[in-house]
Amino acid sequence: NFFKRVYPLIAGVPGNVVECGVLYGYTLGLLATLIEREGAGRHLFGFDAWVEPRTDGAPGVSWEKAFHAVDAALAASLIPSAQVEVVRGEFKDTLATKETGPLAFLHLDCDSYAAYFETLPTLWPRLSKGAIVVLDEYHSPKWTEATSAVDEFLAKLDSSSYELVPDIRWYIRRT
């Protein structure tokens, strides 16, 4: 699978792992398994609002409905609970204040223009050299606003500071 192929690219890159847009925790559980197998002691942070309806207009889901699925996904990973933190709340309220330390891997699965517009500028400065940013909705016909937000963000950066890589899911490698 894509994550099993891309995650090893961060071998030797210092930092933790963040997922924005956890929903039911399927990818969060996979990332937890990859962290546990890697054995580097990375911490995993999962951010999502879990509200119905979301303030950005995208479909939401209640925390109560998602909680058991997230919990089961993390339990199946065998990662020590001290290495995982799930943060509930809107990105604009949680990302800037939550200390994650440097980041080696960032998975953005947050659907909307507003969410990408909030996550990228906030988390980009935390990315270590060599870090990977997976852009779940980039170039998806269903989520064209997400592509616009990413393109606008990247246009403000020095192009030598990143490499945009086309794949099943596009990703950015911080250079």
Side-chain angles (χ1 to χ4, degrees), residues 41-136:
R42 298 182 197 273
H43 289 261
L44 174 62
F45 297 87
F47 292 85
D48 206 314
W50 290 290
V51 294
E52 251 180 310
R54 289 184 355 194
T55 58
D56 62 10
V61 63
S62 71
W63 169 247
E64 293 78 19
K65 186 174 181 180
F67 176 76
H68 295 293
V70 171
D71 194 43
L74 291 173
S77 75
L78 304 178
I79 191 172
S81 60
Q83 284 179 246
V84 180
E85 186 170 351
V86 177
V87 182
R88 182 180 175 199
E90 296 286 338
F91 298 139
K92 64 182 174 59
D93 300 326
T94 58
L95 290 176
T97 58
K98 184 66 192 167
E99 178 53 50
T100 60
L103 300 179
F105 196 93
L106 172 60
H107 176 225
L108 299 179
D109 186 3
C110 42
D111 305 339
S112 72
Y113 178 94
Y116 273 88
F117 191 77
E118 292 164 0
T119 56
L120 280 167
T122 303
L123 297 175
W124 186 264
R126 300 181 198 180
L127 294 172
S128 299
K129 185 176 181 179
I132 297 292
V133 181
V134 175
L135 306 165
D136 204 71

